[in-house]
Amino acid sequence: MHFGPHLLLAALEGLVTSAVLALTALGLSLVFGVMRIVNVAHGEFFMLGAVLAWAVSTAISGHPAIGFVAALVIAPLLVGLVAFLAEWLVLRRLNYNPESTIVATIGMLYIIQQLALTFYGPEARPVEPPFSYRILLPWFGYSGYKLSVVAASAILLVLTWLVLTRTKVGLIMRATQYDRETAQAFGIPVERVYAGVFAIGAMLAAIAAVLIVPISQAHYLMGQDPLLLSFIVVIIGGLGSLRGTVVAAILIGLSDGIISVFFSPTLAKIIATLVVAMVLVFRPQGLFGTTAR
């Protein structure tokens, strides 16, 4: 292929990466934005979603779409339940202290990872996609499923924005984010809001994992890269900013896809790290974040 087709292919692959990354980073950004804690175990919730997707899809016989749809519903719910219990049993007991919760979520990371290794094993296992239709472009055929991942991510991002900005639930979450004590004084159950937000953040990561696992494979160490890239996205976009998360995810995903194809994946990671360093130096609050008062 010539330069044009190569560039289009790289951009499409980068767009798929952006879609999955936006959902994963949104969960991390939402938890920080409302709870003001950094969830280091976020990547393991992503991994757990992929592992559970494999378990559910292989347990259901019939057309692959049936198992995939079941995994898309069941895996995020189970991951959300695990996150809810972790918030109730651990983070709430620490009174959401930022330093203590970092240590606690590191502990969660290793617990979830080792449980996955024990019960799932070290093998990377594929999940069959729900369909294998290919869209014919002028120069090559491209996976219809990959484009459906982009569409599904866009729909979920819009729904999340609508919930945050147009519903009572979103209003309660934003009130808790701005002033925890005042929200509590007005009768808002802050601890229940925190538990729900922590579960929703984990569920978004799990949904992203279910969407991507037919393209990649489920593996007990697959949470490391999503965690690193999610941190890069939320730092560049601005912690707690939905718009910043989406914009930064598109920038990182597209640059990663294009640079990886024409140069190397290592160079893509180096450039992303340099961008983070520049943002931290010249605009610490991120591109769309607000300066704390």
Side-chain angles (χ1 to χ4, degrees):
M1 286 192 294
H2 299 293
F3 176 77
H6 263 110
L7 181 61
L8 177 59
L9 179 60
L12 288 172
E13 291 295 316
L15 200 59
V16 175
T17 301
S18 299
V20 176
L21 184 55
L23 283 179
T24 309
L26 177 60
L28 185 67
S29 181
L30 190 64
V31 168
F32 179 85
V34 177
M35 302 175 67
R36 298 298 173 186
I37 66 171
V38 177
N39 180 18
V40 184
H42 192 68
E44 302 316 303
F45 289 131
F46 179 94
M47 176 272 293
L48 187 59
V51 169
L52 289 173
W54 174 85
V56 172
S57 62
T58 53
I60 298 176
S61 58
H63 194 277
I66 300 174
F68 178 81
V69 171
L72 193 57
V73 174
I74 296 172
L77 288 176
L78 291 177
V79 172
L81 178 60
V82 171
F84 183 89
L85 292 174
E87 192 279 339
W88 179 54
L89 294 172
V90 181
L91 303 183
R92 192 174 301 183
R93 303 295 188 274
L94 299 174
N95 198 31
Y96 312 105
N97 178 270
E99 291 80 10
S100 300
T101 52
I102 288 177
V103 176
T105 53
I106 290 174
M108 290 180 200
L109 182 157
Y110 287 111
I111 290 171
I112 295 172
Q113 189 179 96
Q114 292 306 307
L115 285 174
L117 175 61
T118 301
F119 294 101
Y120 173 77
E123 298 85 7
R125 300 172 184 175
V127 172
E128 193 171 352
F131 57 90
S132 56
Y133 179 76
R134 295 186 69 82
I135 296 176
L136 294 177
L137 299 174
W139 301 287
F140 53 81
Y142 194 73
S143 169
Y145 175 73
K146 288 185 178 181
L147 294 179
S148 73
V149 170
V150 177
S153 176
I155 292 171
L156 287 170
L157 290 170
V158 171
L159 289 176
T160 303
W161 176 79
L162 290 174
V163 169
L164 291 175
T165 60
R166 298 289 189 270
T167 66
K168 184 178 179 181
V169 172
L171 180 63
I172 290 173
M173 290 169 60
R174 284 183 283 124
T176 306
Q177 172 184 354
Y178 291 139
D179 195 322
R180 173 183 174 181
E181 288 73 19
T182 303
Q184 205 160 18
F186 276 90
I188 294 176
V190 172
E191 290 185 342
R192 277 194 287 174
V193 173
Y194 281 1
V197 167
F198 196 72
I200 291 170
M203 289 174 68
L204 286 170
I207 292 171
V210 177
L211 291 174
I212 198 64
V213 76
I215 299 172
S216 57
Q217 291 183 333
H219 188 262
Y220 84 102
L221 292 177
M222 69 183 298
Q224 296 175 357
D225 281 349
L227 177 63
L228 174 61
L229 290 174
S230 293
F231 273 120
I232 290 174
V233 166
V234 296
I235 289 172
I236 294 174
L239 288 165
S241 170
L242 173 59
R243 179 177 57 170
T245 298
V246 174
V247 171
I250 293 174
L251 291 175
I252 294 298
L254 286 176
S255 64
D256 185 81
I258 293 172
I259 295 171
S260 296
V261 167
F262 288 100
F263 299 98
S264 74
T266 303
L267 180 60
K269 299 296 186 296
I270 291 173
I271 292 175
T273 305
L274 289 175
V275 172
V276 169
M278 292 178 64
V279 169
L280 289 174
V281 170
F282 296 105
R283 191 173 172 82
Q285 72 271 28
L287 298 179
F288 295 92
T290 55
T291 305
R293 296 181 180 178

